[in-house]
Amino acid sequence: MVTIRDVAKESGFSSTTVSIVLNNAPLARYIPAPTKKRIERAAKKLGYRPNLFARSLRSKRSHTVGVMVFDMTDPYCTLILRGIENSLYQSSYLPILTDVHNEGSRFERYLEMLLDRRIEGLIVLANWLFLDINLLADLEKSSIPTAVIGCELKTDSISSVIVDNELGGHVALEHLHSLGHRKIAFIRGPKTLGDSAPRWKGVRSFAQVNNLELDPRLVVDLPESRDPISGFEDGYKLTEELIKRKRPFTALMAFDDLTAFGAIRALTKAGIRVPEQCSVIGFDDVAPSALYTPPLTTVRQPMEVMGNMTVSIIVDGMNAVLEKKTTGAVHRKVAPELVVRESTRGIL
Amino acid sequence: MVTIRDVAKESGFSSTTVSIVLNNAPLARYIPAPTKKRIERAAKKLGYRPNLFARSLRSKRSHTVGVMVFDMTDPYCTLILRGIENSLYQSSYLPILTDVHNEGSRFERYLEMLLDRRIEGLIVLANWLFLDINLLADLEKSSIPTAVIGCELKTDSISSVIVDNELGGHVALEHLHSLGHRKIAFIRGPKTLGDSAPRWKGVRSFAQVNNLELDPRLVVDLPESRDPISGFEDGYKLTEELIKRKRPFTALMAFDDLTAFGAIRALTKAGIRVPEQCSVIGFDDVAPSALYTPPLTTVRQPMEVMGNMTVSIIVDGMNAVLEKKTTGAVHRKVAPELVVRESTRGIL
DNA sequence: TCCCGAAGTTCGATTTAAATG
DNA sequence: GCATTTAAATCGAACTTCGGG
């Protein structure tokens, strides 16, 4: 490997000067152009690449950000990860990706590994959370800018980016209502999930304002689960259950897209055509939704944007750390967007 | 931050001894148990964590592996990444994830960044490849164990893991044939994609052995494209085109699952029910396939296993490097597996 | 005082060589 | 020679201090 001393020898200057020139340090102001030229040429000639271990040892910087995903196989992650990756790339940080598999022990182990590597920032991608006080404390005293995506937080040490679930619920019901639907079934999220309550609140507030009656016999709840695929299976079962109740409905609002897929499957199996006989709306707009037959109408979380946003928050945080300033946590709630495709239709 | 010297002071021994004890180095044989105890207790008491920058600077090891994905949004990636992550975790390596966005320049930039960080191994996830001689040369001389998933390679410096496409093509057609289908349409892969030819070869060989005639008017080719979603759109258009040709077919074999989704959409739009009037089979078994309506019959690539396998190859390679042995590249071709769901059905 | 460059110290751990009883 | 411990050199870059013009 070629070191800075090799460049020094080759160029005829000391390693100090080489360092100053190649890093364009403040002192480089004083160094005459010819000297710079010679050093730069020598560096290029030898193919010099500074040793990041050595550099990091001195500077205490790693230019690395930890990304912890609770479950990679959740389609919700993909676009967010893309957004994170892309923004990080712009800022010349590299991500270490860890997948916690929804296990607390794995979270702790990975967190330790990341801390050992002196990550400068941490992004956690979780739609539910088991972060207990201990872990929060660990992070707080480490003073590493941290942001969570998909989970509302009250702490002022950890930032958060989340979709406006209440607005989303509102928008979804508004869409069905505007199509003329009045008998609407709902598959709500698991009670333990933070998203569930606000989404339902949005639904209720729209219903109230518009004098829409919500039939409690058409409302069911997803059971708690950490497996992303179970939303599909449970959506299927709950829809079967709804059909069995013999309370007619012309539209169904699913907690998320996977649940909607399960619902469509169950409706289709029961001979109920979507959207001719029953409209279905999802939430999230994960990638497969656009490819589904019928293409799914849904409430989109702007996932890529949320990824970008999160990076910008922690980059700001990291810059603040570098300048020894302190910044409080930032909490962003982004507006969802109705995406009308073909799984919903007006009532004849 | 607490350093090894703090531990030395606290325990009353020198930093040398502390290092020897905590790393359980060969010399630790000579160190009496009481000494070890005291050092370990001091370390624990202070919460000592060795500085990895310093350690890496000496040892020249990073315990880091680079993972380059050509396009994260390709659903093909997800499970493979999960397999990679999980195996890496077992081996205590951490992955740096980079997404090349199908751009050569981005590939080069990322490769440089990874090399600068002294990754000990590299995994490239590509279903097509623009690796030119230059990049290969770079990697060769760097002597970093490298493996490519999803692309057949001839080099003996870079390992590869790939599904047996020919067998897959064979298996898919065999399935349709066994269901009684004789008039079968084919959407083949883009000519420039390495997977396309062998899959078609498998199809042809099965047809030949079983005296099945392949009507060239029922065979169309996907155009070249780097965008994963385009498989869907092109599948849609090509299926419309096939329908327009008025050559009846009772089954359609799509190049991959996304193409199959597009085909199903087109068939449905044309009033042709799947599978009642036309069976459709895909390839890959990406996550959405099981959730589709109808659930997609497909030829599964064992993606998680392929990820595991690739890690085991490069871990072996990295161990060889540590022991200054040399190992040649490993090339693995794994068997796909037919997954029968509900998009295919026997002819009445 | 301003400009240019270098010697020497530091970051924190590992390792070699050597000193002790 | 042996068991036990350590001072000092090393890894490669960056920064502090200093000297000469």
Side-chain angles (χ1 to χ4, degrees), chain A residues 28-243:
Chain A
R29 292 191 300 120
Y30 301 129
I31 293 178
T35 304
K36 290 184 181 173
K37 277 257 159 55
R38 275 166 58 194
I39 289 177
E40 275 151 10
R41 264 193 306 150
K44 178 166 289 178
K45 179 183 167 196
L46 300 180
Y48 170 67
R49 309 242 83 203
N51 182 317
L52 293 193
F53 298 147
R55 176 175 283 182
S56 292
L57 179 58
R58 279 276 345 191
S59 66
K60 295 178 181 330
R61 294 202 54 190
S62 66
H63 293 276
T64 303
V65 166
V67 177
M68 296 191 99
V69 170
F70 269 47
D71 188 342
M72 277 242 328
T73 63
D74 191 331
Y76 173 71
C77 294
T78 311
L79 270 182
I80 298 183
L81 281 178
R82 160 66 69 109
I84 293 174
E85 179 272 341
N86 207 17
S87 289
L88 247 21
Y89 180 72
Q90 311 298 336
S91 309
S92 293
Y93 285 95
L94 244 24
I96 294 183
L97 178 66
T98 60
D99 181 351
V100 157
H101 293 212
N102 286 322
E103 287 168 27
S105 60
R106 198 154 171 144
F107 181 96
E108 292 177 40
R109 168 92 197 281
Y110 264 138
L111 184 58
E112 244 179 19
M113 292 172 82
L114 292 176
L115 258 20
D116 279 348
R117 279 160 197 255
R118 302 287 196 277
I119 50 168
E120 296 183 38
L122 177 64
I123 297 177
V124 179
L125 189 31
N127 27 15
W128 59 278
L129 211 49
F130 51 61
L131 283 180
D132 56 18
I133 315 289
N134 271 334
L135 298 178
L136 290 184
D138 262 24
L139 282 170
E140 274 183 46
K141 72 169 195 285
S142 73
S143 82
I144 293 174
T146 302
V148 175
I149 304 181
C151 230
E152 196 152 19
L153 288 177
K154 320 96 195 158
T155 345
D156 60 9
S157 64
I158 296 184
S159 300
S160 69
V161 172
I162 192 174
V163 74
D164 187 334
N165 282 300
E166 187 171 344
L167 180 54
H170 186 99
V171 160
L173 185 54
E174 183 177 45
H175 172 65
L176 295 177
H177 186 263
S178 75
L179 289 174
H181 296 283
R182 293 301 179 267
K183 296 171 195 298
I184 301 172
F186 296 88
I187 301 180
R188 298 190 299 193
K191 290 212 170 56
T192 47
L193 199 63
D195 296 329
S196 305
R199 259 178 230 184
W200 184 243
K201 191 177 169 200
V203 165
R204 269 199 337 227
S205 79
F206 178 90
Q208 195 158 15
V209 171
N210 294 274
N211 282 318
L212 177 68
E213 202 182 326
L214 266 28
D215 184 345
R217 280 161 300 190
L218 286 179
V219 178
V220 291
D221 290 335
L222 244 22
E224 182 184 18
S225 163
R226 298 171 170 187
D227 186 4
I229 209 73
S230 77
F232 172 78
E233 286 159 5
D234 294 326
Y236 180 82
K237 288 181 201 146
L238 289 173
T239 304
E240 279 188 325
E241 164 74 18
L242 283 167
I243 294 170

Side-chain angles (χ1 to χ4, degrees), chain B residues 186-258:
Chain B
F186 297 88
I187 301 180
R188 298 190 296 193
K191 289 212 171 57
T192 48
L193 199 63
D195 296 329
S196 304
R199 260 179 228 183
W200 184 243
K201 190 176 170 201
V203 165
R204 269 203 334 230
S205 79
F206 178 91
Q208 193 158 19
V209 171
N210 294 273
N211 281 319
L212 177 67
E213 203 181 325
L214 267 27
D215 184 345
R217 280 160 300 188
L218 286 179
V219 178
V220 292
D221 290 334
L222 245 23
E224 183 183 16
S225 164
R226 298 172 173 188
D227 186 3
I229 211 73
S230 77
F232 172 78
E233 286 158 5
D234 293 328
Y236 180 84
K237 286 181 203 146
L238 289 174
T239 304
E240 278 187 325
E241 163 73 20
L242 282 167
I243 294 169
K244 233 184 284 172
R245 290 187 188 172
K246 302 280 187 198
R247 308 282 308 174
F249 54 92
T250 64
L252 186 154
M253 176 173 160
F255 175 64
D256 61 14
D257 291 350
L258 291 193

